[in-house]
Amino acid sequence: MRSQKATKKQNGKCYVLTPERYVGAEAEALEEEEGLDEKMLHLTAKLERPFAESAKLEATILENRQRVGSGG
């Protein structure tokens, strides 16, 4: 069962009285600026560089292990 959201108006501000939201937070700050599809594209693109660097470092480590293991 979904909890009901309680609100309280005080001094011209609307306060949200539910545990999943910050009380008194501005509505604009809580709304999503981009949709899920756009957000996933943005985050995926942001992860490509660290993933590529990780693969490069992994290859370097494997090469170094082989060199050390073979004694030369």
Side-chain angles (χ1 to χ4, degrees), residues 4-68:
Q4 294 181 0
K5 293 183 180 182
T7 58
K8 179 179 180 181
K9 288 193 176 191
Q10 184 175 355
N11 298 331
K13 290 189 176 182
C14 183
Y15 293 92
V16 180
L17 305 174
T18 56
E20 66 267 6
R21 294 181 71 181
Y22 292 104
V23 175
E26 295 293 325
E28 293 85 18
L30 296 174
E31 291 181 12
E32 292 290 328
E33 291 182 13
E34 56 187 344
L36 180 60
D37 292 338
E38 292 85 15
K39 184 179 277 190
M40 288 304 296
L41 286 172
H42 173 76
L43 292 174
T44 301
K46 192 174 180 179
L47 282 172
E48 286 179 9
R49 185 174 178 185
F51 283 167
E53 187 169 337
S54 174
K56 182 180 174 184
L57 291 172
E58 183 179 358
T60 301
I61 291 168
L62 291 174
E63 288 173 14
N64 289 339
R65 277 185 53 204
Q66 288 177 350
R67 193 167 2 133
V68 171

